[in-house]
């Protein structure tokens, strides 16, 4: 462990101990890494600092994550009575805009800490941060913090960390470094069963699967079939589970498709955009839309009409022909 990491972990511990109230929040519509980073860190703080953080989210939590440990500890931001918090820890969030309405919790905080693995275009959210864009998942960073600080952990923490790594690497399909596989091997030494966790993550609500299948069947294709674009309208969005993973997975299996885009009509003139690239970067498109993410998996939220966003996205991919 480097001296810098030692110093930051000491500051982390001091700020947690000094805080009478703590909240942990990730980006809106949390995926597996966002949800499990929140819950694993909260459990580690409980075990090691005798503090009980409030786990906060905005948006929707995918049904396939319903069985992860401590799922019931998540609270919708608008149902939180206790604000402001002495300390808010922001995890797995590339930019504050990705917090959506949850940013109201962050804006009122007396102190902030950030833990994230996204590439930053601007300044970090918090001065004290544990940001590492080389990490495959935020749960990977939390694992490294836990090991470096020699924090006490339990089986729930380990399983949460494993789920975060599995989901953000697509069961290692998107892993670009060996580190997440080494961590998984170490977690297995402590009793984690990745096969069991993968089976758990395959279970989705019926309405979500049927909705995503119907949306997939209406997908459009552009530029010789290289770009697949699916639209989730307002009526379908209420049944959508999370980010539309099934849509992206199905469209990504089609021969010749290099880019998958899912546009979700979340609210009037608010369009959520999920982008995936098959070995071809899409983060530049996300940034052009005001969002961000990883090289091959990124997203954005745009406040405009669905028609305008659709046209803009198609035009941006024209440059990749």
């Amino acid at each position: 462990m480097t001296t810098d990491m030692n110093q930051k972990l000491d500051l982390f511990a001091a700020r947690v101990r000094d805080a009478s109230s703590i909240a942990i929040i990730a980006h809106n519509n949390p995926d597996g890494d966002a949800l499990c980073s929140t819950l694993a860190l909260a459990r580690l703080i409980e075990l090691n600092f005798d503090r009980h953080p409030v786990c906060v989210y905005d948006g929707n939590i995918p049904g396939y994550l319903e069985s992860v440990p401590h799922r019931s500890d998540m609270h919708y931001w608008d149902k939180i009575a206790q604000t402001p918090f002495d300390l808010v820890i922001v995890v797995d969030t590339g930019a504050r805009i990705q917090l959506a309405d949850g940013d109201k919790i962050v804006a009122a905080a007396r102190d902030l800490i950030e833990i994230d693995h996204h590439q930053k275009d601007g300044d970090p959210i918090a001065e004290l941060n544990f940001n590492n864009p080389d990490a495959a998942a935020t749960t990977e960073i939390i694992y490294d913090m836990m090991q470096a600080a020699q924090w006490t952990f339990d089986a729930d923490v380990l399983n949460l960390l494993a789920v975060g790594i599995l989901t953000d690497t697509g069961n290692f399909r998107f892993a670009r470094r060996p580190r997440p596989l080494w961590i998984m091997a170490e977690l297995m030494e402590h009793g984690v069963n990745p096969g069991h966790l993968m089976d758990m993550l395959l279970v989705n609500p019926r309405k979500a699967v049927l909705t995503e299948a119907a949306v997939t069947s209406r997908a459009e294709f552009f530029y010789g079939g290289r770009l697949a674009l699916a639209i989730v309208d307002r009526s379908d969005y209420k049944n959508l589970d999370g980010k539309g993973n099934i849509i992206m997975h199905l469209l990504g299996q089609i021969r010749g498709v290099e880019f998958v885009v899912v546009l979700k009509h979340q609210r009037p003139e608010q369009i959520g955009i999920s982008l995936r690239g098959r070995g071809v970067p899409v983060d530049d498109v996300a940034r052009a839309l005001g969002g961000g993410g990883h090289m091959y998996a990124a997203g954005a939220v745009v406040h405009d009409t669905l028609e305008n966003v659709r046209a803009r996205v198609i035009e941006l991919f024209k440059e990749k022909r």
Side-chain angles (χ1 to χ4, degrees):
M1 182 170 62
T2 66
T3 301
D4 181 56
M5 177 61 79
N6 265 315
Q7 292 172 344
K8 290 205 294 186
L9 284 169
D10 287 344
L11 285 171
F12 179 92
R15 294 189 183 187
V16 168
R17 291 191 181 102
D18 287 344
S20 297
S21 58
I22 303 171
I24 306 175
I25 186 169
H27 62 74
N28 71 317
N29 296 322
D31 54 13
D33 189 35
L35 179 71
C36 293
S37 294
T38 302
L39 294 172
L41 185 62
R43 183 61 179 152
L44 285 166
I45 289 174
E46 289 178 351
L47 291 171
N48 293 275
F49 300 99
D50 194 27
R51 297 289 188 273
H52 300 280
V54 177
C55 298
V56 185
Y57 75 97
D58 183 25
N60 301 311
I61 297 177
Y64 67 85
L65 296 171
E66 286 296 324
S67 298
V68 302
H70 299 281
R71 163 65 181 85
S72 61
D73 292 343
M74 295 297 295
H75 301 281
Y76 187 65
W77 76 272
D78 198 31
K79 305 298 183 182
I80 303 298
Q82 180 184 8
T83 55
F85 288 90
D86 290 339
L87 173 64
V88 173
I89 305 174
V90 182
V91 299
D92 197 42
T93 303
R96 283 184 62 160
I97 192 173
Q98 295 173 352
L99 295 166
D101 285 329
D103 189 46
K104 297 172 183 177
I105 302 289
V106 174
R110 297 188 177 100
D111 192 13
L112 288 173
I113 297 174
E114 179 182 11
I115 307 171
D116 186 39
H117 74 125
H118 295 93
Q119 188 72 45
K120 305 289 184 183
D121 286 333
D123 294 331
I125 294 173
E127 181 179 353
L128 177 57
N129 63 76
F130 298 81
N131 293 343
N132 178 10
D134 290 329
T138 298
T139 37
E140 177 183 328
I141 299 172
I142 293 173
Y143 175 85
D144 289 338
M145 292 170 65
M146 178 185 79
Q147 292 292 87
Q150 298 183 341
W151 288 337
T152 297
F153 55 82
D154 62 11
D156 287 345
V157 169
L158 300 183
N159 280 304
L160 286 165
L161 295 176
V163 170
I165 291 171
L166 286 171
T167 53
D168 241 31
T169 62
N171 294 338
F172 302 113
R173 292 194 306 275
F174 311 133
R176 305 298 172 191
R177 299 162 51 248
R179 179 66 178 153
L181 287 90
W182 292 340
I183 291 175
M184 189 60 66
E186 292 170 0
L187 293 173
M188 291 177 68
E189 291 284 350
H190 289 286
V192 169
N193 183 336
H196 170 75
L197 296 177
M198 290 178 193
D199 288 342
M200 178 188 75
L201 296 170
L202 287 175
V203 177
N204 290 275
R206 178 191 299 176
K207 65 180 181 180
V209 174
L210 295 180
T211 297
E212 295 196 44
V215 170
T216 302
S217 72
R218 300 194 296 266
E220 304 174 273
F221 297 86
F222 302 89
Y223 308 128
R226 296 178 63 215
L227 170 63
L229 186 147
I231 294 176
V232 180
D233 60 27
R234 291 293 304 283
S235 61
D236 282 333
Y237 184 68
K238 66 179 183 295
N239 295 323
L240 186 66
D241 198 45
K243 295 188 174 182
N245 288 326
I246 295 172
I247 300 170
M248 289 184 285
H249 177 69
L250 290 173
L251 291 176
Q253 294 184 65
I254 298 174
R255 183 177 289 111
V257 169
E258 296 180 10
F259 308 102
V260 177
V261 177
V262 179
L263 305 182
K264 293 156 287 185
H265 200 173
Q266 299 169 336
R267 299 175 185 173
E269 296 201 354
Q270 177 178 308
I271 312 301
I273 306 171
S274 295
L275 308 166
R276 295 293 183 272
R278 180 186 285 173
V280 187
V282 292
D283 55 328
D284 55 335
V285 175
R287 287 194 298 272
L289 294 164
H294 312 296
M295 184 175 292
Y296 305 110
V301 175
V302 177
H303 296 276
D304 200 345
T305 65
L306 178 61
E307 293 76 14
N308 287 345
V309 174
R310 174 184 173 277
R312 178 85 191 284
V313 167
I314 294 170
E315 183 66 23
L316 285 169
F317 276 98
K318 183 177 181 179
E319 301 174 7
K320 291 181 171 289
R321 287 190 299 176

